Amino acid sequence: MDVLSPGGERVAQRSDAVLARRSGLGDRVAFAELVDRHGPALYRYAVRMLDGEHHAAEDAVQEALTKAWVHLGAFRGESSVKTWLFRLVANECLSARRRRRPRPVDDAVLTAIPDDARAAPETVTVATDLRAALDVALVELPWRQRASWILREVESLSYAQIAEVLGTSSTVVRGQLHRARANLAVTMEQWR
Amino acid sequence: MTAGSMDRPAGEVPSDDLAVQARLREAADDLRAHVDERWVEVANVVLSRALTATRPSPPVRAQAPTGPVEIAEQVLVSYLRDSIDQLDDCEVVTIGIDTRPEHGIDGRGEVCTGVLVALAVRYQTVLIPLADRVREVAVSRLAQMLGPVEPAVSVSVVHVHIADVTRGDPKLTTDERSR
């Protein structure tokens, strides 16, 4: 985005902290720039945390950004804007997962599938790309491992920032990341 | 760790593991560069909906030609920021609106008794003239918005506080970033 503010400065040149401050004072252009800057990452995170359900991810990001707009006036910059936004989205994703109810399934779905009926990883690899393979592997990870891995390896947050997003400690994040990497390596081994 | 790694000497990283880790890094890089198509489709709608949310804000009394009206404090803050933003070498950090309850002949309401404007300014900016300009702009804007209210809006109710000094342009960066 290359929006010019009424003052003539290029909005895209402003730091996150300045954009957050201006948004808190009612500057809609500044908030739009924040959403433009971080929206793709927030949505990317939400989709992967909600097992690829785009509508649920859209709702989570919508709710998080609405809360961000309402509460930015009280944002004092104790954490980075990026970390704060991820925390809002992570909380919404967690709430969405808790709201999910068990769905009744047809007995046929529970019938054991013969081994030879499963698609061989090589076959699937041909049909999908590496990112799709990663998405499948991520779905198999436990929630905290998945969140820690995405925030570290994809979004480049520090251990302390991840701990803040997930409401835990850096030590726990370190452990979750270690397990996530090991689990993903095992899964991705099949996709070589 | 892959099957069979137990047979390898300690400290030796198996080439298979390295290949998997490289593949994983490649996948992470690919994901980082990827923007979901669905987000591209819905981003504007999501933003518009978020911006329709109302921030809780107390009403402040104003005097229109047709009679008294109430303006949300947030609206005053937003317009004041917009006006002060036109000045160079300073950036509004916070704006506080002081009010007090008052009983008039038309009922009870909150009247504006003062404004506190906290600024970040560029290093070496001469502060007193800048503060005077900020007061003038604020008073002019408040008078436009509130109308002929009692007590009248004057420079004496606008307090300017220099909250931060930045080396770079305060409209672009905070002090922390400019160091």
Side-chain angles (χ1 to χ4, degrees):
Chain A
M1 190 182 285
D2 198 22
V3 179
L4 283 174
S5 73
E9 299 82 16
R10 294 196 180 279
V11 175
Q13 291 176 350
R14 292 185 169 134
S15 70
D16 279 1
V18 169
L19 290 173
R21 192 163 69 193
R22 295 178 71 92
S23 302
L25 291 166
D27 186 341
R28 288 162 182 261
V29 176
F31 186 71
E33 173 63 19
L34 273 182
V35 172
D36 193 55
R37 208 174 275 185
H38 298 293
L42 297 173
Y43 187 79
R44 186 163 57 218
Y45 174 81
V47 169
R48 269 92 204 159
M49 293 312 297
L50 294 169
D51 303 339
E53 290 182 18
H54 283 269
H55 284 293
E58 189 182 320
D59 288 345
V61 174
Q62 175 72 78
E63 196 60 33
L65 289 177
T66 303
K67 285 181 178 169
W69 171 248
V70 171
H71 297 292
L72 262 167
F75 179 71
R76 292 288 169 262
E78 284 95 359
S79 61
S80 74
V81 179
K82 184 179 178 181
T83 306
W84 185 66
L85 290 174
F86 266 109
R87 190 167 68 219
L88 291 174
V89 172
N91 288 343
E92 292 302 325
C93 289
L94 193 56
S95 299
R97 290 175 70 89
R98 284 175 179 152
R99 280 196 299 270
R100 283 180 184 169
R101 292 179 182 173
R103 295 176 190 166
V105 293
D106 194 302
D107 285 350
V109 176
L110 301 176
T111 306
I113 302 168
D115 279 349
D116 57 359
R118 293 177 195 273
E122 296 80 3
T123 312
V124 183
T125 306
V126 172
T128 58
D129 60 8
L130 187 59
R131 187 170 3 100
L134 177 63
D135 281 343
V136 171
L138 283 172
V139 168
E140 292 180 13
L141 284 184
W143 190 81
R144 276 189 186 277
Q145 286 184 32
R146 197 190 313 179
S148 301
W149 190 87
I150 294 172
L151 292 173
R152 178 66 190 158
E153 304 294 347
V154 181
E155 308 305 341
S156 307
L157 266 59
S158 69
Y159 287 8
Q161 286 175 318
I162 298 169
E164 204 176 320
V165 170
L166 301 180
T168 185
S169 68
S170 297
T171 310
V172 170
V173 169
R174 196 179 298 271
Q176 295 288 346
L177 261 175
H178 179 74
R179 282 190 282 277
R181 283 171 181 149
N183 286 333
L184 279 176
V186 170
T187 312
M188 295 296 278
E189 168 83 356
Q190 303 165 42
W191 295 83
R192 271 189 302 138
Chain B
M1 191 171 291
T2 57
S5 60
M6 297 290 285
D7 303 334
R8 297 186 184 99
E12 184 182 325
V13 181
S15 57
D16 283 0
D17 281 2
L18 287 176
V20 170
Q21 292 300 335
R23 200 90 172 121
L24 208 46
R25 272 198 301 277
E26 191 185 334
D29 291 343
D30 187 34
L31 184 54
R32 192 180 310 115
H34 172 70
V35 176
D36 285 285
E37 284 175 20
R38 181 68 185 155
W39 172 251
V40 176
E41 289 168 14
V42 301
N44 285 336
V45 176
V46 169
L47 174 64
S48 303
R49 284 188 190 149
L51 289 173
T52 58
T54 310
R55 293 174 175 173
S57 181
V60 178
R61 266 198 172 195
Q63 185 65 45
T66 50
V69 291
E70 288 184 331
I71 299 176
E73 188 182 293
Q74 186 63 43
V75 174
L76 289 180
V77 168
S78 185
Y79 277 75
L80 278 173
R81 182 205 58 78
D82 196 39
S83 295
I84 298 169
D85 197 37
Q86 309 301 320
L87 300 175
D88 291 332
D89 297 327
C90 72
E91 166 86 349
V92 177
V93 175
T94 57
I95 296 177
I97 309 284
D98 291 329
T99 58
R100 71 153 191 259
E102 190 169 277
H103 297 274
I105 52 171
D106 50 351
R108 187 171 171 276
E110 295 284 325
V111 294
C112 175
T113 57
V115 178
L116 174 65
V117 181
L119 299 173
V121 299
R122 191 197 289 266
Y123 178 60
Q124 290 189 329
T125 299
V126 185
L127 298 180
I128 303 299
L130 173 68
D132 287 341
R133 285 206 305 280
V134 169
R135 277 195 201 90
E136 286 164 17
V137 168
V139 165
S140 165
R141 193 58 152 169
L142 278 175
Q144 277 179 359
M145 297 186 72
L146 297 178
V149 288
E150 284 294 333
V153 174
S154 70
V155 290
S156 63
V157 302
V158 180
H159 303 279
V160 178
H161 170 63
I162 308 299
D164 198 6
V165 178
T166 61
R167 290 186 183 179
D169 185 348
K171 291 185 194 302
L172 297 180
T173 182
T174 58
D175 193 36
E176 187 185 355
R177 283 287 200 89
S178 60
R179 277 175 187 156

